[in-house]
Amino acid sequence: MAGADEQKDNTDSIIADIQKRITEAFDMFDHESNKTVDVREVGTIIRSLGCCPSEAELHDMLNMIEEEEPTGYIRFEKFLPMMTKVLMERRYKPVPEDQLLRAFQVLDAEGKGYLSQEELTKYMTEEGEPFNQEELEEMLSAAVDPDKGSIQYKEYVSIMSLEET
Amino acid sequence: MPEKWLHSVYRYTLKQLTSKWYRRCRANLEVRRRLTWNIFQSIEYAGEQDQLKLHDFFNTMLMNMATDGDGPAPLIKAFNVNKRESIYDTQTMPDTSEPSLYSMLNETDVEKSYKGVHLSFPLTHDQLHKMVQCFKRKLASSALTTLHAKYTMELLLEVRKVLKTQPNIRYASTSISKQFTICGDLHGKLNDLYMIFHKNGLPSVDNPYIFNGDFVDRGQSSVEVALVLFSCFLMNPNEVYINRGNHEDHVMNLRYGFIKEIQRKYKSHSSKIISLFKDVFSWLPLATVVDEQILVCHGGISDTTDLSLLAKIDRHKYMSTLQPPGGCEDIKTMKRDELIEWKQVLDLLWSDPRTIDGCLPNTFRGGGCYFGADITEEFLKKNNFKLLVRSHECKTEGFEYTHNHKVLTIFSASSYYEVGSNLGAYVRVQRPDLECRIVQYMAGHSPAIRKISFTQRVNIVEQSALQDLKKRIIACKNELMKGFQGFDPTNSGIISGCDWCFTMETVLEMELPWRTLKSKLVKSDDSCGVFYMSTFEELEVKHRYSGNGPSITETLYKNKDNLETIFRLMDADHSGQITMQEFQDALVILIKQLDIKIKETDIADIARSIDLNNDGLIDFNEFLEAFRIVDNLGKDKTHCIDKADTEEEIAHSPQKAIDIKV
């Protein structure tokens, strides 16, 4: 009996902690301090909380919490329960670094150790989910080695994952 | 065939993975950027609040204490700047005929060795040009002198003469120039001013400017910025409009660096120049109206802002807008009209727009108010204006529209918090519809720095913000330790992340996202326990004088800014030195304000220990040298406190762990 109580307490405190994290992340984007955020920034909030949904998945999440008559804003009271659930169930976990590296390596069929800008652009813009021009340019500007003019993917992947911590 | 298929699967996977993962990295970066911004802003406003608390405190003292006796009365008297007799009290003084002005100038000679620019009045374009060039070279090499004290004084007296003829609210028109440029806070950043002139040209009949206050304090070149602006103003008094900001204020200058800068640059002439600046600032107009459609003022408005009332007041009374005008000692005895008038000025210089409707006291800054979109709407309608342009708040983009595009904030000091922290901007208002065109820039860095990526910039700025935050943390070490230990009855050295956040928030009184910051400030174990001692790693308060224990050192350090402000106030002749007695008085007052217990003998000890050369005088350098935060990076950085280490340390000597290194 005591054991069950303890476990329940423990779960409660985990939930409480998760909800505080969500609140902090939300507040950082709540410019008007009225417990709403711009719908365009919700993706950033969700991702900053350690989730990696695809654009389609993000779209579904937004659908769940948007007002019946979309206002362009998302309310905290709707965001909190949805996000708590996602985090408790550990959904949309990020891809491990080695898996990403593996994908790069396969595409670099010749084993050069790098991809050219053109190659990466081609992969990122063809089929599947759209990666828009702005995102692409940003990504290239961060990924392209300024001296070599190509993407040294091994370095790039490790730099980017370093920044996650 | 299967190979090709596999390839396409991988391509698809890569794309999926990369974009998900890339977007997550971007999100993290964005959060870090915002976090950094929050830290800087919290620290900045905490400073302003301190300043105001100090004021409230002194005002209370003024009301409750007799001005004679042996108490700290001289200090209090010194504090009331508005009451202190200005050397050049213009209200009663016929201007140019006043012999003391000339004698002051005559006392000052230009040495033969002076290599700077020579001025004669009226100023010529050539002279202005030379001065601008000279300051530019000075930026590159600090060995060069600034404008000579004599010319500085002459210039300030000329400016004052012209300012005196101007009304509180000036009216500007675009009928000749067809356009108008408005600049926001410059805060002593000459590079930004030059960037604006470079992009937008020097002021002239065709190119009028409004400088919307706060051109001094904080930056390193407040003197130069002020002199260039004033020269431009003298050359084109009808095309250059200078509004007063909340930093064109003697009391603010005491804390935020302008006084210090003058003392450094003018040495023995500084006291005269400080007095002159103080006086000139009080003559600056309060607002400008463009084409009867745009109101330009530094802070904003309130629900009581009344331009016709503002037009009538005697602005020169407000040597400092933070104190009751005209030497009135007791706020309670002030007439209602006087209070209303004072509030009008405060609101104009100190307010910030907020999205919440209505008008609330500005608790964050402590002065002025927050005004909502409804207040703006009502005010604009009543006065038949279409826009309010204000400055006063740093914005990442250098500008921001709020209140349904009816309020434009413009801030012209780029890299205000740290290299790359924000863009600067100015706005060009153009005929026929007074359309606003915003121009943004980042001034004064090598092309290499300008080109750094977003990621690198976030890194640099974040480091500097965390460093500043750490300093505040160290200053509160004792209180924080007490808080942490309260959650750690067994002295394990570990508390939960939640308790750590709670302690940080309540002790530091800073509303920051501590959960997000946690990983950057302390070490944690796998199950989210925090090794709280690691909060204080790398930085420690160092005090040359032992014997007073850590608490007094910390207390003094924490209040270093307050003390320095008090010192500068007490130093009525701006000589940079005060007596031992005055120093002790300052401490007594501060201690009383903070409601802490320190023995009288300790205070005397401290005072003595600071006066290194035993001449009975304390100079600011001695004082500042005595307390400083030392970056302990010199010691082995790879050494991490692991669990065993911490436990042992705390178990054997809990006291030792919190001692401050001497």
Side-chain angles (χ1 to χ4, degrees):
Chain A
M1 195 60 196
D5 271 355
E6 208 168 281
Q7 202 173 4
K8 188 179 173 298
D9 278 357
N10 204 15
T11 317
D12 280 352
S13 86
I14 290 175
I15 291 185
D17 199 58
I18 282 179
Q19 295 203 329
K20 275 187 182 146
R21 267 177 58 210
I22 298 172
T23 313
E24 273 188 3
F26 189 93
D27 285 349
M28 234 184 285
F29 291 81
D30 177 13
H31 306 291
E32 308 185 359
S33 311
N34 59 357
K35 289 285 165 198
T36 64
V37 292
D38 192 311
V39 68
R40 286 165 297 187
E41 293 187 313
V42 175
T44 308
I45 302 176
I46 293 174
R47 289 178 171 119
S48 79
L49 286 164
C51 296
C52 277
S54 68
E55 286 298 279
E57 287 164 334
L58 178 64
H59 194 76
D60 292 343
M61 289 163 101
L62 285 174
N63 269 343
M64 283 165 57
I65 53 176
E66 204 152 31
E67 305 297 309
E68 278 171 32
E69 293 277 313
T71 55
Y73 288 89
I74 296 292
R75 285 190 296 146
F76 180 67
E77 57 188 80
K78 294 210 171 182
F79 181 75
L80 181 68
M82 185 276 293
M83 205 58 217
T84 311
K85 194 158 175 283
V86 166
L87 289 179
M88 284 302 284
E89 292 169 4
R90 297 171 175 270
R91 292 168 66 192
Y92 313 113
K93 293 285 280 180
V95 220
E97 196 184 321
D98 55 341
Q99 207 179 327
L100 188 66
L101 193 59
R102 174 97 186 104
F104 268 112
Q105 279 163 344
V106 170
L107 289 174
D108 173 24
E110 300 157 46
K112 313 187 286 281
Y114 64 87
L115 291 181
S116 70
Q117 291 192 47
E118 293 72 31
E119 283 173 305
L120 187 65
T121 308
K122 201 176 105 207
Y123 295 141
M124 298 308 289
T125 45
E126 67 180 10
E127 66 202 86
E129 278 192 5
F131 208 61
N132 70 38
Q133 190 61 30
E134 196 186 333
E135 283 174 312
L136 183 73
E137 271 169 27
E138 250 180 38
M139 178 172 177
L140 284 177
S141 80
V144 173
D145 186 310
D147 298 329
K148 300 184 178 121
S150 57
I151 295 100
Q152 312 287 315
Y153 52 79
K154 200 168 175 184
E155 233 171 85
Y156 177 56
V157 168
S158 69
I159 290 173
M160 288 298 259
S161 40
L162 251 184
E163 277 163 9
E164 287 193 19
T165 49
Chain B
M1 214 48 192
E3 217 171 278
K4 202 173 174 194
W5 174 81
L6 195 66
H7 197 253
S8 110
V9 167
Y10 266 116
R11 233 160 45 196
Y12 184 73
T13 319
L14 172 78
K15 191 180 153 179
Q16 279 284 317
L17 294 184
T18 324
S19 41
K20 278 186 192 175
W21 168 77
Y22 170 75
R23 287 188 174 120
R24 166 136 183 265
C25 292
R26 288 294 307 180
N28 281 342
L29 215 53
E30 177 61 21
V31 166
R32 284 168 57 195
R33 190 183 68 75
R34 280 165 193 258
L35 202 58
T36 305
W37 194 259
N38 284 353
I39 296 174
F40 276 129
Q41 222 170 36
S42 296
I43 292 175
E44 179 180 2
Y45 288 156
E48 284 187 6
Q49 272 182 330
D50 279 356
Q51 179 73 1
L52 257 116
K53 271 187 209 155
L54 203 59
H55 263 90
D56 292 349
F57 171 74
F58 274 99
N59 283 332
T60 324
M61 296 280 284
L62 276 171
M63 275 181 248
N64 296 330
M65 286 184 67
T67 42
D68 48 15
D70 359 303
L75 175 58
I76 290 170
K77 230 183 262 168
F79 199 76
N80 198 342
V81 173
N82 283 340
K83 191 188 169 196
R84 204 193 288 177
E85 255 174 69
S86 166
I87 309 176
Y88 320 105
D89 192 355
T90 47
Q91 285 312 78
T92 52
M93 190 176 65
D95 214 22
T96 42
S97 58
E98 176 61 48
S100 79
L101 289 182
Y102 282 113
S103 70
M104 181 180 82
L105 280 176
N106 291 338
E107 283 164 20
T108 319
D109 288 321
V110 180
E111 304 83 10
K112 284 219 173 66
S113 58
Y114 172 67
K115 291 210 172 58
V117 186
H118 294 270
L119 299 185
S120 59
F121 296 89
L123 275 184
T124 63
H125 272 286
D126 188 44
Q127 286 174 341
L128 172 66
H129 223 77
K130 275 194 184 134
M131 189 161 91
V132 168
Q133 289 306 321
C134 177
F135 289 163
K136 200 173 186 172
R137 283 201 304 277
K138 190 179 172 299
L139 274 180
S141 147
S142 55
L144 289 156
T145 47
T146 187
L147 187 65
H148 193 275
K150 189 184 179 78
Y151 297 134
T152 307
M153 285 188 257
E154 277 182 296
L155 180 69
L156 288 173
L157 287 169
E158 290 294 314
V159 168
R160 192 174 140 279
K161 218 190 292 174
V162 184
L163 283 177
K164 275 187 72 179
T165 65
Q166 297 188 332
N168 296 340
I169 300 170
R170 293 184 71 190
Y171 287 83
S173 161
T174 59
S175 58
I176 297 171
S177 58
K178 309 292 177 221
Q179 51 84 26
F180 225 101
T181 304
I182 305 168
C183 304
D185 300 27
L186 285 161
H187 279 303
K189 302 188 74 135
L190 193 59
N191 273 329
D192 289 294
L193 179 60
Y194 281 6
M195 175 64 94
I196 295 168
F197 285 160
H198 172 75
K199 281 169 120 42
N200 201 53
L202 281 168
S204 68
V205 178
D206 306 323
N207 196 17
Y209 274 89
I210 297 173
F211 293 97
N212 200 19
D214 277 17
F215 41 92
V216 298
D217 274 343
R218 299 187 194 273
Q220 292 301 306
S221 310
S222 293
V223 170
E224 287 78 10
V225 170
L227 293 177
V228 170
L229 286 189
F230 284 156
S231 305
C232 291
F233 169 71
L234 273 186
M235 308 273 315
N236 316 277
N238 298 315
E239 287 78 31
V240 175
Y241 297 76
I242 305 179
N243 291 340
R244 188 174 184 180
N246 64 321
H247 277 271
E248 277 69 58
D249 187 310
H250 184 68
V251 172
M252 294 298 277
N253 299 154
L254 286 164
R255 177 182 284 251
Y256 290 104
F258 187 44
I259 302 282
K260 214 173 179 173
E261 186 187 321
I262 296 176
Q263 284 172 338
R264 196 176 65 239
K265 288 181 176 164
Y266 289 100
K267 311 248 158 36
S268 61
H269 299 299
S270 55
S271 79
K272 286 174 271 184
I273 289 174
I274 289 169
S275 312
L276 263 173
F277 264 116
K278 183 172 102 182
D279 193 84
V280 167
F281 285 166
S282 71
W283 282 111
L284 287 171
L286 304 172
T288 306
V289 176
V290 182
D291 282 357
E292 298 184 333
Q293 289 189 51
I294 302 176
L295 175 70
V296 187
C297 65
H298 183 72
I301 52 168
S302 73
D303 52 355
T304 56
T305 298
D306 179 347
L307 294 185
S308 58
L309 196 62
L310 273 163
K312 276 185 279 191
I313 65 169
D314 172 15
R315 66 176 183 273
H316 177 58
K317 275 198 300 199
Y318 299 92
M319 285 286 179
S320 168
T321 58
L322 289 170
Q323 294 172 335
C328 174
E329 281 187 23
D330 189 343
I331 295 177
K332 282 183 200 147
T333 65
M334 275 176 81
K335 290 197 208 92
R336 208 181 113 76
D337 291 356
E338 288 175 322
L339 276 171
I340 289 173
E341 188 188 291
W342 183 22
K343 184 177 180 305
Q344 290 279 331
V345 178
L346 267 178
D347 288 346
L348 215 59
L349 266 51
W350 280 85
S351 300
D352 294 314
R354 282 294 175 272
T355 26
I356 301 158
D357 274 354
C359 198
L360 298 162
N362 196 330
T363 45
F364 207 29
R365 287 187 194 267
C369 69
Y370 295 129
F371 56 101
D374 56 334
I375 306 288
T376 303
E377 192 70 45
E378 206 174 301
F379 175 84
L380 294 181
K381 205 168 144 198
K382 188 179 141 203
N383 291 282
N384 238 337
F385 294 152
K386 55 179 251 187
L387 181 70
L388 167 65
V389 179
R390 42 87 62 178
S391 301
H392 200 36
E393 285 178 291
C394 183
K395 299 289 173 191
T396 339
E397 295 295 316
F399 77 98
E400 189 180 275
Y401 277 105
T402 36
H403 293 182
N404 312 316
H405 244 65
K406 295 281 174 59
V407 174
L408 169 62
T409 298
I410 197 91
F411 193 88
S412 301
S414 65
S415 299
Y416 178 61
Y417 291 127
E418 175 59 40
V419 174
S421 67
N422 66 290
L423 295 169
Y426 60 86
V427 54
R428 254 174 105 100
V429 181
Q430 272 155 331
R431 279 215 156 193
D433 307 319
L434 297 187
E435 197 187 316
C436 292
R437 202 169 63 85
I438 311 266
V439 182
Q440 298 168 285
Y441 54 85
M442 175 87 68
H445 304 295
S446 60
I449 288 184
R450 252 174 277 158
K451 263 191 208 135
I452 57 171
S453 72
F454 184 66
T455 314
Q456 286 165 304
R457 207 157 67 208
V458 170
N459 282 341
I460 295 172
V461 182
E462 182 183 53
Q463 277 314 312
S464 137
L466 288 177
Q467 202 73 357
D468 286 0
L469 184 60
K470 277 250 172 183
K471 285 188 190 167
R472 284 194 83 89
I473 291 174
I474 292 295
C476 296
K477 188 171 174 181
N478 266 352
E479 286 162 320
L480 285 170
M481 274 309 290
K482 237 179 259 161
F484 294 152
Q485 284 169 337
F487 287 113
D488 182 23
T490 58
N491 271 348
S492 65
I494 302 175
I495 56 175
S496 77
C498 220
D499 294 340
W500 183 84
C501 292
F502 176 80
T503 311
M504 295 302 277
E505 183 160 342
T506 45
V507 172
L508 294 179
E509 290 177 3
M510 288 171 99
E511 258 185 61
L512 286 171
W514 293 106
R515 261 157 211 87
T516 320
L517 274 169
K518 197 178 72 183
S519 64
K520 300 176 197 301
L521 293 171
V522 278
K523 300 196 172 72
S524 307
D525 63 13
D526 297 334
S527 56
C528 294
V530 171
F531 299 110
Y532 55 84
M533 281 308 295
S534 62
T535 314
F536 311 108
E537 270 174 23
E538 289 181 6
L539 290 166
E540 296 191 59
V541 176
K542 192 170 170 182
H543 176 27
R544 284 187 298 176
Y545 315 103
S546 52
N548 297 308
S551 75
I552 190 164
T553 311
E554 262 180 50
T555 306
L556 289 180
Y557 185 82
K558 207 184 329 176
N559 291 283
K560 191 172 64 94
D561 288 353
N562 279 341
L563 268 174
E564 203 186 334
T565 308
I566 298 175
F567 282 7
R568 293 197 189 285
L569 271 168
M570 291 170 41
D571 177 23
D573 60 352
H574 305 295
S575 61
Q577 287 187 322
I578 55 168
T579 66
M580 296 276 275
Q581 191 55 50
E582 284 175 324
F583 173 77
Q584 292 190 32
D585 288 348
L587 273 189
V588 170
I589 286 203
L590 195 77
I591 284 160
K592 212 180 260 177
Q593 181 204 9
L594 296 167
D595 198 22
I596 46 172
K597 296 196 171 46
I598 293 176
K599 275 181 282 175
E600 293 269 333
T601 47
D602 280 352
I603 294 171
D605 277 354
I606 290 225
R608 261 198 305 279
S609 69
I610 288 180
D611 178 25
L612 287 177
N613 54 7
N614 284 326
D615 61 356
L617 292 171
I618 292 173
D619 70 39
F620 293 139
N621 288 336
E622 282 178 327
F623 169 73
L624 292 176
E625 256 305 294
F627 307 99
R628 56 202 169 105
I629 292 270
V630 185
D631 196 337
N632 259 6
L633 286 177
K635 77 177 184 195
D636 190 4
K637 253 194 101 176
T638 54
H639 170 79
C640 295
I641 292 192
D642 58 27
K643 201 177 164 189
D645 211 344
T646 319
E647 269 176 357
E648 193 188 11
E649 208 176 329
I650 290 181
H652 284 126
S653 154
Q655 203 47 48
K656 187 183 142 213
I658 57 167
D659 265 353
I660 292 205
K661 282 227 170 123
V662 176

